Amino acid sequence: MRRFICLGVIILCLFLGVQTVQAGNFYLHEHPDYWWYVVEDPAFSAIIPSGADNYIERSIFGMESLLMTFKNGTITMEVNVQPGTDVESVRNSLDVRYKPLVKNITVLNNGEITTSNNLQTHFYAYEATGANGKKVMFRTVIFQRRHHVVYLTLFLESAQYVDDMREYWIRAVNGFQWD
């Protein structure tokens, strides 16, 4: 019995430790379907969905990333931060990232937009046929300030860009702000 209690306390401590690491970055939003995701360097905040299946923070070669998955991993939303000022290089790297998996690309938008927070951002979106034969969609907005680029991405089947997923994306894009 004592062994089970000790094991339970260890598991609880590990669980609380993992939660503490992430708690500094996620804050309650006035709407229960969202959280504020806050980063200190560079200082920005984004409104992200609170109902994702997974939230994974990672660091890859100097790029900090929050990966969110929905519907058993068939939908992916990301918030990425990297040093630099070249928005076009970021867009090109995203374009090339999945190029081997898609064909019949139709660019929906590749230009500047102004968000509801009055921020200029580069918006790039396309539809294509995925390796699975389904119509897929990629969307990204790229914000640049001082020596950092922050970009939000969404990968999903085109038929899934409806209802909550569409609203999550629009809210994330328009709720982004530099702090």
Side-chain angles (χ1 to χ4, degrees):
M1 179 69 168
R2 189 175 189 163
R3 181 184 292 171
F4 291 116
I5 292 173
C6 288
L7 181 62
V9 168
I10 290 170
I11 291 171
L12 180 62
C13 288
L14 288 173
F15 176 73
L16 290 176
V18 169
Q19 295 300 323
T20 302
V21 170
Q22 293 184 357
N25 294 330
F26 297 88
Y27 297 94
L28 291 177
H29 188 271
E30 52 272 10
H31 192 287
D33 289 345
Y34 299 95
W35 285 332
W36 283 105
Y37 180 64
V38 179
V39 174
E40 291 182 19
D41 187 25
F44 75 87
S45 55
I47 298 173
I48 61 169
S50 62
D53 296 337
N54 296 294
Y55 296 86
I56 302 167
E57 289 184 293
R58 55 193 180 160
S59 181
I60 304 169
F61 306 135
M63 177 184 74
E64 303 301 318
S65 180
L66 171 65
L67 170 70
M68 296 164 276
T69 63
F70 303 84
K71 299 193 179 190
N72 297 316
T74 62
I75 300 172
T76 301
M77 185 183 285
E78 298 175 344
V79 178
N80 300 287
V81 182
Q82 69 183 54
T85 59
D86 190 351
V87 170
E88 190 59 24
S89 289
V90 171
R91 193 204 58 79
N92 286 335
S93 71
L94 291 167
D95 204 21
V96 171
R97 183 178 177 187
Y98 293 100
K99 198 164 199 162
L101 299 174
V102 296
K103 61 184 177 183
N104 304 323
I105 296 173
T106 301
V107 175
L108 303 173
N109 199 321
N110 185 17
E112 296 289 320
I113 63 168
T114 303
T115 69
S116 296
N117 282 338
N118 206 29
L119 294 176
Q120 289 292 119
T121 183
H122 188 85
F123 175 51
Y124 179 65
Y126 68 71
E127 283 189 316
T129 303
N132 59 3
K134 295 181 180 180
K135 191 172 188 181
V136 296
M137 180 183 288
F138 167 74
R139 304 175 84 76
T140 188
V141 288
I142 307 168
F143 299 91
Q144 194 280 321
R145 185 178 190 197
R146 295 188 189 111
H147 302 291
H148 287 91
V149 175
V150 177
Y151 54 101
L152 313 176
T153 60
L154 180 66
F155 308 92
L156 70 169
E157 292 177 7
S158 295
Q160 294 174 314
Y161 188 64
V162 295
D163 303 327
D164 286 344
M165 284 313 304
R166 185 175 183 277
E167 187 62 32
Y168 292 161
W169 175 251
I170 291 170
R171 187 60 106 39
V173 170
N174 288 295
F176 179 90
Q177 61 190 25
W178 295 107
D179 295 330

